[in-house]
Amino acid sequence: MAGKVHNGMSAASLQGVVWRKSARSGALGNCVELADLVDGGIAVRNSRFPDGPALVYTREEVAAFVAGAKDGEFDDLLG
């Protein structure tokens, strides 16, 4: 990876990372993808715009979000 990793950088510039998406992702690519970063962070990108911006989070931030999602804290956003 060239340069410092930061929020909003082009996901395409995160070279050497392996992007993963949920097996529950729809056939239309309506999912986000995540990648482990060398510094221990986790990058997130929109699977429909793979060269668009990447959001970069700490492992602790992602763990808090996943725990909240598992607890149903965001279910109201789905309608």
Side-chain angles (χ1 to χ4, degrees):
M1 277 179 277
K4 183 172 168 46
V5 174
H6 62 277
N7 249 333
M9 68 185 298
S10 168
S13 64
L14 292 170
Q15 297 177 1
V17 301
V18 177
W19 292 97
R20 304 180 353 192
K21 64 181 169 181
S22 169
R24 295 180 184 222
S25 178
L28 300 175
N30 55 347
C31 197
V32 296
E33 296 175 310
L34 291 88
D36 279 320
L37 300 175
V38 175
D39 69 358
I42 297 175
V44 180
R45 73 178 180 181
N46 184 329
S47 64
R48 289 176 289 152
F49 304 104
D51 294 334
L55 299 178
V56 179
Y57 298 98
T58 65
R59 292 186 114 50
E60 294 79 12
E61 290 168 329
V62 173
F65 173 77
V66 169
K70 285 181 178 181
D71 288 344
E73 293 179 17
F74 308 107
D75 289 356
D76 63 308
L77 298 174
L78 301 176

